[in-house]
Amino acid sequence: MSDQAKDERAPDEIEAIDAAAERAQGSVDGDYEALVRLLKENEELKDRALRTAAEMENLRRRTARDVQDARTYAVANFARDMLSVSDNLRRALDAIPAEAKASGDAGFTALIDGVELTERAMLSAMERHGVKKLAPEGEKFDPNFHQAMFEVPNPDVPANTVVQVVQPGYSIGERVLRPAMVGVAKGGPKLAAAPVEPGPVNEQAEKDA
């Protein structure tokens, strides 16, 4: 189209063409802004969904752990109360003189057997519910499960070894119901630390050296 033809266009036609071009450009710009906004909203929704999923998974794990703890430790208070009964049975047996045990009296022997049977049955029942007796003589002292009452000088035994159990302790799961009252050795050699296993050879480090 010649310049003369362009010049001969009516002003209204030129304005219409310019307006259409502006609308087209505006439409493109608007579509781009809408696309950017939608992409941003999509990323925000994805991030929100991921956070929600993570929170739900954490909640599921906490709930499962709480349920497991409830099952494991539900009898803890009852078991702790029963420890005094078990202690009294043991005290009754320990209080019987050796001469009386050796007398051979049938009635007395039956009484002793009955008390021992009751003690064993109680300990067995408690163990079925996760309660374990702690009698750590000869083991390394563990402050989480043992309570040191005194020290025993003994150079032949590694230091901090339990050499005497004054009163057995009890645990349930990973918790202590009652620490074992113990005497520990002192003056002996220190307990050897567990040997450290050598790790894999780092070939790159050897090359650098």
Side-chain angles (χ1 to χ4, degrees):
M1 182 180 293
S2 64
D3 294 339
Q4 183 178 1
K6 292 181 179 179
D7 294 339
E8 290 177 353
R9 284 178 177 172
D12 293 342
E13 183 180 353
I14 295 173
E15 290 179 2
I17 292 173
D18 291 342
E22 289 179 0
R23 285 197 300 273
Q25 182 63 37
S27 176
V28 171
D29 292 342
D31 290 343
Y32 177 76
E33 292 176 358
L35 178 61
V36 171
R37 185 173 63 255
L38 289 173
L39 288 174
K40 183 179 179 180
E41 291 177 355
N42 183 52
E43 288 298 322
E44 291 176 351
L45 289 173
K46 284 171 62 177
D47 183 63
R48 190 180 306 168
L50 289 174
R51 286 200 304 270
T52 301
E55 290 173 358
M56 292 301 296
E57 178 62 16
N58 290 335
L59 177 61
R60 185 192 67 79
R61 290 179 179 176
R62 285 197 302 270
T63 302
R65 185 171 60 247
D66 291 343
V67 170
Q68 182 60 37
D69 286 349
R71 290 174 179 171
T72 302
Y73 303 114
V75 298
N77 291 334
F78 175 75
R80 192 176 290 110
D81 291 339
M82 289 297 99
L83 295 184
S84 59
V85 179
S86 177
D87 290 341
N88 288 334
L89 290 173
R90 176 43 47 185
R91 291 190 188 99
L93 292 171
D94 292 341
I96 301 173
E99 298 81 7
K101 293 181 180 179
S103 65
D105 181 85
F108 199 70
T109 301
L111 176 61
I112 295 174
D113 292 342
V115 175
E116 290 178 341
L117 180 62
T118 302
E119 182 191 33
R120 288 196 299 271
M122 174 172 288
L123 293 176
S124 178
M126 292 173 67
E127 189 169 353
R128 285 197 301 272
H129 288 85
V131 179
K132 295 182 179 179
K133 187 176 182 180
L134 303 175
E137 187 169 351
E139 300 177 7
K140 181 181 178 181
F141 176 76
D142 184 349
N144 296 312
F145 293 93
H146 312 150
Q147 182 173 340
M149 305 300 293
F150 52 85
E151 292 181 322
V152 180
N154 190 339
D156 299 326
V157 178
N160 288 328
T161 298
V162 176
V163 293
Q164 184 177 348
V165 178
V166 179
Q167 184 182 59
Y170 292 87
S171 65
I172 179 169
E174 298 180 354
R175 301 179 187 176
V176 61
L177 282 174
R178 185 181 72 189
M181 307 296 182
V182 301
V184 297
K186 74 170 184 175
K190 292 184 178 180
L191 289 170
V196 178
E197 293 291 337
V201 176
N202 189 331
E203 296 179 358
Q204 185 61 42
E206 290 186 349
K207 290 179 182 178
D208 295 340

